[in-house]
Amino acid sequence: MPPPYDDESDFDSDEEFSEVQLGLADGPLENEDEANPLVSRIGGRPVWLPLSPTKLPPASLVQCQYCQKPMQLLVQIFAPLENSAFDRNLFVWGCARAACQRKGPGSIKAVRMLKHNQRWAAKLAKQAERQRVRQEREEAKKRAEAEAESRRLAQERTTNPFKMGSGGASLLGPSLFGIPTVTPAASEEAPTPIEPEDEDDDGDFDEEERLAEELAIKASLEEQRSQLQEDWTRTSSHYTTSLYLNTIPEPRRAQDSDVPSEPPVPTKEASVGGEIEEYEQMTIDGIDDVFERFTRRLGTEARQVVRYEYGGTPLPFSAVGSLYKQLWPSGWREPMDVSSVPPCSHCGAPRVFELQLMPNLANLLRVDKLSDAAGILSSSNTEEHRQAEISSLLGLKDTHSDLCTGIVWSTAVVFVCSRDCCSDTEGWAEEWVGLQHEGDL
């Protein structure tokens, strides 16, 4: 595996970063990493976590809703949640046919997969036990201090400051102008001493444990392959491009640029065709603000193909279209209406945003890089090719680019179950995806 992505040269050393992670392509997958489900990737074939064959997604799950043809893997992301005992992968498939993509979200699907990790579960249980012991010690310490303070106050109330002590020393000074030293009576029990904590285990996986974890998963995968009679992913349509997907944090200055400039004051002058008035009206309505915000945020790292922020907020491409109206009915400056996203189909819990795919993905995954590119180009784009040639001859906008690019939407947002549930203790669940296109109305 190549070293982790190093992007320090792009940012100042004192740069502040947000919680948003940007996924970037980082070279072709190498050697055994293509078969390792812990390696996040762009394109290629999906690699399942080592589950029972009965708990794997069927091939029918990733058929396009419109053309009924197999879709292709866009990204696979290893994304375990904090304090969860499950290994967790996210898969996003998309139809490469431009005509299908323009019809709606049925041309793209997201799947979340869970596998119980016994080693990690034991680690979390140990951490929880250490936390419980630590909390009990803290509570015992507070009780001992409270009892000591209570005895001190009781001793003060029963002490006569004008009476000589048994040793002949006056208690007047210490009791009036200071805190007297209180010695527990012989009949009182001394507080239980608090033992120091065991600091041998810091609760984190070290490199050796992580290597052991990968070896254990690879062994499970070999066992799984021997049990599988037929794995549809071996012969499925896929992008032959298969790249590492590594992450860097988004610079804080990207979010600082969210505040748009003041829109221009509309003029009363009319123009030919009303283009100026239409543009000014769009600016007043906030349409340009949203798109300009998108391009400003994208401009801080144009190579990004994924924006990841579990529980965060997606970045709308523009202020038009059904997805924008659904998530931001009152405008993007108001909180996103997450209640408008359908709840989990398994447990009914609300969904939360996890990631979105960005336009640069189209530059990496192209139709001519598909394992069955010839069939897709000839069967689905013949009419589009003819229209493109006519448009070119007439000097109109050339749409031939759709024939080379597997992706024509502008951004895709993925929302997942907030409980991270599954139909069983482990397995897979389909999640909700929304699309925005440049030509949305």
Side-chain angles (χ1 to χ4, degrees), residues 43-45 69-74 93-98 101 235-242 364-381 402-407:
R45 288 192 175 98
K69 301 294 184 181
M71 296 190 289
Q72 295 75 33
L73 180 70
L74 303 179
W93 280 272
C95 181
R97 295 168 173 82
Q101 294 176 44
T235 57
S236 63
S237 172
H238 64 281
Y239 289 101
T240 55
T241 300
S242 186
L364 305 176
L365 302 180
R366 308 175 71 85
V367 170
D368 55 5
K369 297 298 183 182
L370 279 172
S371 59
D372 53 353
I376 289 181
L377 286 172
S378 62
S379 63
S380 67
N381 289 317
D402 289 347
L403 304 181
C404 300
T405 303
I407 297 171

Side-chain angles (χ1 to χ4, degrees), residues 139-151 191-192 194:
E139 292 175 352
K141 181 179 179 181
K142 291 179 180 179
R143 287 196 301 270
E145 292 174 348
E147 291 172 0
E149 179 67 9
S150 178
R151 288 193 298 270
T192 303
I194 300 175

Side-chain angles (χ1 to χ4, degrees), residues 124-177:
L124 291 176
K126 187 174 182 180
Q127 289 178 346
E129 177 62 19
R130 292 178 70 244
Q131 180 63 25
R132 184 189 64 79
V133 172
R134 184 183 297 112
Q135 186 174 354
E136 287 184 353
R137 287 173 176 169
E138 291 294 331
E139 292 175 352
K141 181 179 179 181
K142 291 179 180 179
R143 287 196 301 270
E145 292 174 348
E147 291 172 0
E149 179 67 9
S150 178
R151 288 193 298 270
R152 184 186 70 79
L153 294 176
Q155 183 69 22
E156 283 186 348
R157 288 193 295 269
T158 58
T159 300
N160 184 349
F162 298 99
K163 179 180 179 181
M164 298 297 292
S166 57
S170 172
L171 297 179
L172 177 61
S175 61
L176 291 181
F177 303 103

Side-chain angles (χ1 to χ4, degrees), residues 1 273 307 351 429:
M1 179 185 301
R307 294 177 61 83
R351 283 191 166 102

